Amino acid sequence: MPADYSGDGHADLAVWRPSNGWWYAQGMTPFGYGQNGDKPVPADYTGDGIVDAAVYRPSNGTWYLRGAGTFRLGEPWHVAAPADFNGDGIADPASWSPISQRFFIRGMAPVSYGEQGDVPVPGQYDGDGHADFAVYHRTSADHAEFRIKGLGSFDVGAPGDVPVPLR
């Protein structure tokens, strides 16, 4: 999970070890934050320009943001999908329900987008300063596409590929 954990403007090489919940980042002392079963969701949740260690615990729908609090947002079947949806320069904790195909964003009304089997891939796709609602959608046995709300569909990849939006 390369990101700027030190605030020097450069991405730091980093990993999160699920077996013990420890973060190891280039130039930083390793630290524990999270536990086995959590999903790492690093982002700048405080607006200071430094990526914060954070985990989403699907078992109880709880977000643990190092230095920014703990709260419940989501259900055990939700997929973490954080991004800066309101354009304030701070990542918004968010989850996507594969059952209802709705994005749930902290402090905002839910937004419906996607279909059963999609993978949420919100990101800054149009340059307007806030994240777009997007999903990676399998259209056939050998074809998949990014679908971005308000922008359309874009052929990228094939079923089985792992979508990698830059946040």
Side-chain angles (χ1 to χ4, degrees):
M1 291 172 292
D4 185 5
Y5 293 93
S6 62
D8 64 2
H10 300 279
D12 302 304
L13 302 176
V15 296
W16 182 74
R17 189 164 295 156
S19 63
N20 64 7
W22 277 70
W23 295 75
Y24 300 88
Q26 182 181 25
M28 294 178 65
T29 302
F31 59 91
Y33 199 74
Q35 66 185 31
N36 199 1
D38 289 350
K39 303 297 180 193
V41 288
D44 182 3
Y45 294 102
T46 58
D48 61 3
I50 299 172
V51 171
D52 304 301
V55 294
Y56 173 65
R57 189 162 297 154
S59 63
N60 61 13
T62 300
W63 290 71
Y64 299 88
L65 310 178
R66 189 173 188 221
T70 300
F71 56 89
R72 193 162 189 292
L73 174 72
E75 299 295 338
W77 57 87
H78 284 196
V79 178
D84 181 7
F85 290 100
N86 60 11
D88 65 359
I90 300 171
D92 301 302
S95 64
W96 184 78
S97 169
I99 295 171
S100 67
Q101 294 85 46
R102 291 171 41 164
F103 284 88
F104 295 88
I105 304 104
R106 187 172 187 210
M108 297 174 66
V111 174
S112 296
Y113 195 69
E115 296 179 25
Q116 192 84 28
D118 286 350
V119 175
V121 289
Q124 175 49 264
Y125 295 105
D126 62 6
D128 67 357
H130 61 83
D132 300 292
F133 297 97
V135 294
Y136 190 66
H137 178 79
R138 177 182 172 173
T139 58
S140 68
D142 62 349
H143 184 259
E145 64 189 12
F146 277 81
R147 292 183 174 176
I148 305 167
K149 189 170 185 158
L151 297 176
S153 299
F154 303 89
D155 296 333
V156 180
D161 289 349
V162 176
V164 185
L166 297 176
R167 299 188 182 157

